[in-house]
Amino acid sequence: MFVESLAEERILITGGSGLVGRSLTQSLMTRGVRVVSVGNRRGEEKVDLRNPRQTAQLFERVKPTCVFHLAARVGGIYANMHYKAAFYSDNTLINVNVVNEIARHRVPFVFAMGTGCAYPKRLEGSELCEESFLDGVPEPTNDAYAYAKRNLLVHLMALQSLYGCRYVYAIPANIYGPHDNFHPLNSHVIPALIYRFCQARMAGLPEVKVWGTGSAARDFLYIEDLIQSMWIIWQHNATQGPINIATGQQTTIRELATLVADVVGYQGEIVWDPAQPEGQLARKFSTAKIEGLGWRPRFSLREGLARTVEWFERNHAPLATTQSRRDTDEREGCRA
């Protein structure tokens, strides 16, 4: 079992400064596990994973027995539409370099983070099952990022056939929680909405604009539930390949915006901009595989939002007061 072998593990976490990487690193370290976390925070290894030489030097130093590959250049719909080339090239370079070193060092276990937005657009409204992940083109608004993430899965599949490593390719729902990226332009929908509603409440603004009609639906996964699922997956040695990690609950963006405003305490009007893109209208994950391992989410959406808003207001809310009313009217892409 995973818990019994922790003392012998040498864990490498890429993307250690991100939302998932921070939480996973903290969870492992509290158990006394030897962890090397690569990111841009103080105390972490600072390695440009786009650089093959730096990546090779990292693996040579750590000689990991397990890699949690979480590093990626990510963003919401605005960032995905405006930085397509960089999203594809940066993520492709990162993934190729990391997987090549995993192969060179014959790492026994790899946990790689995929993305739900790479599911085929043709399956919009249907249940998204792992075996159909590569079967069709993705949503055009995030296709460059999606293809880079799909390439990661294909590379891992080839690697497994080459020397038999065990790999898990997680396809999560929309993850959120403390330590998320709350940038008003480049973040995902929940942190973007939290930022905007907190800003509007403190500035006394009468309305907040949000892209789309609010009819698109998503599955939102609180970070602590994701980390718990990662522990369970690692413990079940037979688990391999793509696996959805999701709550199975659908929430429209309109419902989400109303809930975020309520949790934040914003009482103004939410104004929808139907001229702006919404991405896939529905993303309903099959949860049979992850539930078969005994995992269930513990946090409701309201509970997770309350914890996230509390953390944001304690750490970032003063920044919102520096934004002007003009900034509030800019299009920032508060979408999944």
Side-chain angles (χ1 to χ4, degrees):
M1 292 290 286
F2 159 69
V3 175
E4 297 172 344
S5 61
L6 284 178
E8 287 75 45
E9 297 284 2
R10 295 187 302 277
I11 313 298
L12 173 62
I13 299 175
T14 69
S17 55
L19 170 60
V20 181
R22 282 173 179 255
S23 298
L24 179 62
T25 300
Q26 183 178 17
S27 181
L28 287 168
M29 292 183 68
T30 57
R31 290 167 167 80
V33 184
R34 289 177 291 175
V35 176
V36 173
S37 182
V38 177
N40 54 25
R41 290 185 300 156
R42 182 178 301 174
E44 291 177 329
E45 294 261 5
K46 293 178 174 59
V47 178
D48 185 352
L49 296 173
R50 296 169 300 180
N51 184 307
R53 183 174 181 180
Q54 291 188 32
T55 308
Q57 291 172 340
L58 170 67
F59 273 75
E60 192 60 39
R61 289 197 306 272
V62 179
K63 292 181 170 57
T65 60
C66 173
V67 173
F68 283 88
H69 179 37
L70 313 176
R73 180 170 181 174
V74 301
I77 192 169
Y78 177 93
N80 270 285
M81 291 175 62
H82 286 76
Y83 312 121
K84 280 180 178 282
F87 269 47
Y88 182 80
S89 62
D90 284 355
N91 285 298
T92 297
L93 288 170
I94 290 168
N95 293 336
V96 168
N97 290 335
V98 169
V99 177
N100 280 346
E101 291 305 315
I102 287 169
R104 190 164 72 89
H105 289 266
R106 296 293 192 267
V107 178
F109 177 73
V110 182
F111 185 104
M113 191 62 72
T115 176
C117 73
Y119 265 107
K121 181 175 175 57
R122 68 175 183 82
L123 297 177
E124 190 171 69
S126 303
E127 188 174 58
L128 303 176
C129 299
E130 290 90 345
E131 58 267 23
S132 62
F133 185 69
L134 300 176
D135 190 15
V137 299
E139 160 65 37
T141 54
N142 51 238
D143 54 2
Y145 174 71
Y147 279 119
K149 280 295 195 176
R150 284 185 176 190
N151 292 345
L152 171 60
L153 172 58
V154 173
H155 201 169
L156 288 169
M157 292 166 63
L159 192 64
Q160 197 278 334
S161 67
L162 178 66
Y163 79 91
C165 73
R166 177 183 167 222
Y167 78 93
V168 171
Y169 181 90
I171 309 171
N174 286 47
I175 308 163
Y176 71 99
H179 300 288
D180 208 339
N181 171 21
F182 290 88
H183 189 283
L185 282 172
N186 297 329
S187 60
H188 290 105
V189 60
I190 284 183
L193 288 174
I194 289 174
Y195 182 98
R196 296 300 295 269
F197 284 127
C198 282
Q199 173 193 10
R201 187 200 66 206
M202 289 187 291
L205 301 179
E207 64 180 42
V208 170
K209 292 183 179 179
V210 184
W211 275 17
T213 64
S215 60
R218 294 290 183 269
D219 187 320
F220 297 101
L221 179 64
Y222 186 58
I223 182 61
E224 290 189 28
D225 283 328
L226 173 65
I227 297 301
Q228 179 63 20
S229 76
M230 294 168 73
W231 285 100
I232 291 173
I233 288 169
W234 198 3
Q235 285 181 295
H236 286 76
N237 291 326
T239 303
Q240 183 158 294
I243 182 169
N244 292 333
I245 306 176
T247 70
Q249 302 297 313
Q250 294 282 290
T251 302
T252 67
I253 302 303
R254 186 174 292 270
E255 292 169 336
L256 174 68
T258 300
L259 184 55
V260 172
D262 183 54
V263 172
V264 166
Y266 176 70
Q267 298 180 344
E269 183 180 3
I270 301 173
V271 178
W272 298 92
D273 187 354
Q276 301 304 322
E278 297 189 283
Q280 286 180 309
L281 292 181
R283 199 179 292 161
K284 180 176 175 56
F285 297 91
S286 168
T287 57
K289 190 172 181 179
I290 186 66
E291 289 180 359
L293 301 181
W295 177 84
R296 298 291 189 283
R298 294 180 298 160
F299 294 91
S300 69
L301 181 56
R302 177 175 283 273
E303 290 171 327
L305 287 174
R307 286 169 169 249
T308 307
V309 168
E310 180 184 8
W311 182 89
F312 173 76
E313 292 190 322
R314 189 168 62 246
N315 292 274
H316 289 294
L319 299 176
T321 62
T322 65
Q323 301 296 318
S324 67
R325 185 181 298 268
R326 177 180 58 81
D327 293 330
T328 303
D329 290 334
E330 289 181 352
R331 295 171 177 172
E332 84 310 319
C334 288
R335 279 288 298 105

